[in-house]
Amino acid sequence: MKINWGTGVVIAFICFISFIMYFIITMSVNDKYDYDLVTEDYYGQELEFQEDLNKEEHSKTLTTNLSWTKSNEGIIINFPEDIDYKNITGTVFLYRPSNKQFDFEIPISLSKHNLLIPDKRLLDGRWNIKVDWKSSDNSYIYRTEIIY
């Protein structure tokens, strides 16, 4: 049986379409290739970006900024000593880039200038920490990436 050029073109098109269909079905069914946006409310957070930049600039006016240390109990976030800890309010958001199932938020309630994030809530690996806090009428934000 001899195949002419018209039959060869049809076979090539069928093979190409079959490959594309296999690729589309594999990408849509397999959970390994399932990726989402960074956050659910991505566009809403984009609108708040300028406010966050203002808070970040205001954080630079502090004599000492926030710091963190790793301990056996978890992560300790240290607030500036020159600010009264009773006036500090806000939230700590921990974002796990590899899996959004582990993201969580903790309200800030201090009895000292330290806030402990318990070890049982943290997995080994990379975390992004965002501390959005307020003291009196001043708003601040602190962001960092850590390897726990």
Side-chain angles (χ1 to χ4, degrees):
M1 178 174 155
K2 191 172 181 184
I3 299 177
N4 63 13
W5 66 272
T7 307
V9 169
V10 170
I11 291 173
F13 277 140
I14 290 173
C15 290
F16 179 72
I17 291 171
S18 299
F19 169 73
I20 296 297
M21 291 303 294
Y22 167 77
F23 185 72
I24 290 171
I25 291 170
T26 302
M27 294 299 285
S28 62
V29 174
N30 195 342
D31 289 338
K32 178 180 172 184
Y33 303 112
D34 187 25
Y35 293 102
D36 294 326
L37 288 175
V38 175
T39 60
E40 293 295 325
D41 188 25
Y42 178 78
Y43 297 107
Q45 286 188 355
E46 185 67 29
L47 296 174
E48 297 173 8
F49 187 68
Q50 183 60 47
E51 184 179 325
D52 287 349
L53 288 176
N54 294 340
K55 290 178 185 178
E56 217 169 284
E57 284 297 318
H58 200 254
S59 295
K60 293 178 182 176
T61 63
L62 293 170
T63 54
T64 57
N65 204 349
L66 294 177
S67 62
W68 66 275
T69 54
K70 183 178 175 181
S71 70
N72 292 335
E73 295 86 28
I75 294 175
I76 299 172
I77 298 176
N78 303 307
F79 287 86
E81 295 285 333
D82 56 343
I83 296 177
D84 186 15
Y85 68 86
K86 294 174 187 167
N87 295 334
I88 296 175
T89 59
T91 59
V92 177
F93 179 68
L94 282 96
Y95 167 70
R96 179 85 174 183
S98 62
N99 191 343
K100 72 178 182 178
Q101 303 282 332
F102 299 115
D103 296 355
F104 63 95
E105 189 172 67
I106 298 174
I108 297 173
S109 61
L110 302 174
S111 59
K112 297 186 283 185
H113 280 88
N114 304 330
L115 175 69
L116 174 68
I117 300 170
D119 182 54
K120 64 183 178 182
R121 305 252 349 236
L122 299 168
L123 297 173
D124 291 341
R126 180 176 167 213
W127 288 91
N128 292 349
I129 296 178
K130 177 182 170 185
V131 182
D132 192 355
W133 61 289
K134 187 175 186 176
S135 175
S136 301
D137 291 333
N138 301 323
S139 296
Y140 307 96
I141 197 165
Y142 174 77
R143 294 182 189 149
T144 189
E145 298 174 0
I146 65 166
I147 304 294
Y148 186 74

